Amino acid sequence: GAVVSQHPSWVICKSGTSVKIECRSLDFQATTMFWYRQFPKQSLMLMATSNEGSKATYEQGVEKDKFLINHASLTLSTLTVTSAHPEDSSFYICSASHPGRATYEQYFGPGTRLTVT
Amino acid sequence: AQTVTQSQPEMSVQEAETVTLSCTYDTSESDYYLFWYKQPPSRQMILVIRQEAYKQQNATENRFSVNFQKAAKSFSLKISDSQLGDAAMYFCAYRSGSQGGSEKLVFGKGTKLTVNP
């Protein structure tokens, strides 16, 4: 198997507060994890690539000080949305690249719906 | 930069019939991987099928098969004996296979498939 979990599945927070989303690879070690954002009826937008033990690589236009990513172990990466605002409300999805698969396909978590009020 | 194009925003098929979803891509690389992911209403991304560019044989996974035309840079997905559970958004994705190349997935905009009973 190749299971990726995310927690929480949904969260509501007040404007100005911070919220942390966890992404775990449950049955494999993932040296690389990815964080995406998805707006309704749109494709996935890559926010950043997270490598275990090193700083995340952010895509152009993504505020690294707002979206803090930490990949502290081979099975856990976290995304912290700092000082959240209503425009940060979205569906956030993580994925992990499976090094044991020859094609290095990514396996996705179930996503986290963030609502900022 | 690589791009992936899905020219059909929406498709529909009758239950038990066959449908083909189109995907074209643009790359200057010779080594890469192609994927089809399915996103049902639950929004969980599910890997449907994968294709290595160096393999001439088209990948098949049960009712799902691809028509990989490397020269034409085309990678279509055929779903046979369509079932109600196949209704979802389908995303075509590209990943570099080059040594030192990007691990990122490049996604198309998706095709919404409706299965009519």
Side-chain angles (χ1 to χ4, degrees):
Chain A
V3 181
V4 176
S5 70
Q6 258 182 265
H7 178 80
S9 56
W10 59 272
V11 58
I12 301 172
C13 70
K14 292 187 181 297
S15 187
T17 63
S18 296
V19 61
K20 180 184 286 187
I21 302 170
E22 292 186 348
C23 176
R24 293 180 185 273
S25 56
L26 298 185
D27 52 3
F28 66 99
Q29 293 186 327
T31 53
T32 306
M33 289 184 170
F34 305 84
W35 287 95
Y36 297 86
R37 185 172 179 175
Q38 187 180 34
F39 293 103
K41 299 184 180 181
Q42 293 190 22
S43 188
L44 281 69
M45 182 189 78
L46 180 66
M47 299 174 66
T49 301
S50 166
N51 288 292
E52 187 265 338
S54 62
K55 289 185 178 180
T57 302
Y58 291 82
E59 294 300 299
Q60 194 171 5
V62 177
E63 298 176 63
K64 59 182 66 176
D65 293 331
K66 180 167 193 60
F67 299 99
L68 300 179
I69 292 171
N70 183 272
H71 194 156
S73 77
L74 288 173
T75 59
L76 173 64
S77 177
T78 60
L79 167 68
T80 301
V81 182
T82 63
S83 186
H85 291 285
E87 57 265 31
D88 299 324
S89 298
S90 191
F91 193 67
Y92 293 88
I93 308 174
C94 73
S95 71
S97 184
H98 195 308
R101 302 288 161 88
T103 51
Y104 278 78
E105 56 255 31
Q106 291 181 23
Y107 290 90
F108 288 80
T112 297
R113 183 179 302 281
L114 171 62
T115 301
V116 184
T117 60
Chain B
Q2 294 81 21
T3 59
V4 176
T5 301
Q6 294 179 249
S7 58
Q8 306 153 317
E10 297 187 22
M11 291 282 284
S12 64
V13 63
Q14 290 295 126
E15 196 174 3
E17 297 294 308
T18 296
V19 64
T20 299
L21 308 184
S22 300
C23 172
T24 58
Y25 58 95
D26 189 27
T27 184
S28 58
E29 298 179 324
S30 58
D31 189 16
Y32 52 88
Y33 307 105
L34 296 165
F35 307 94
W36 278 99
Y37 282 90
K38 166 185 176 180
Q39 189 179 41
S42 67
R43 302 188 80 171
Q44 168 74 62
M45 293 283 285
I46 301 165
L47 177 65
V48 175
I49 199 164
R50 64 181 74 80
Q51 175 80 43
E52 297 94 323
Y54 64 85
K55 288 188 176 180
Q56 292 186 337
Q57 187 172 7
N58 289 325
T60 299
E61 289 284 345
N62 300 313
R63 297 182 295 107
F64 299 87
S65 61
V66 298
N67 183 3
F68 174 48
Q69 301 289 328
K70 191 172 184 178
K73 296 180 182 175
S74 172
F75 183 61
S76 61
L77 175 70
K78 186 172 84 171
I79 306 173
S80 303
D81 186 25
S82 297
Q83 300 176 0
L84 295 178
D86 295 333
M89 281 290 288
Y90 285 81
F91 293 99
C92 180
Y94 170 103
R95 184 197 184 276
S96 171
S98 302
Q99 195 87 7
S102 173
E103 297 181 69
K104 298 186 290 189
L105 284 178
V106 178
F107 283 97
K109 290 188 175 182
T111 296
K112 181 181 180 181
L113 178 66
T114 300
V115 181
N116 300 308

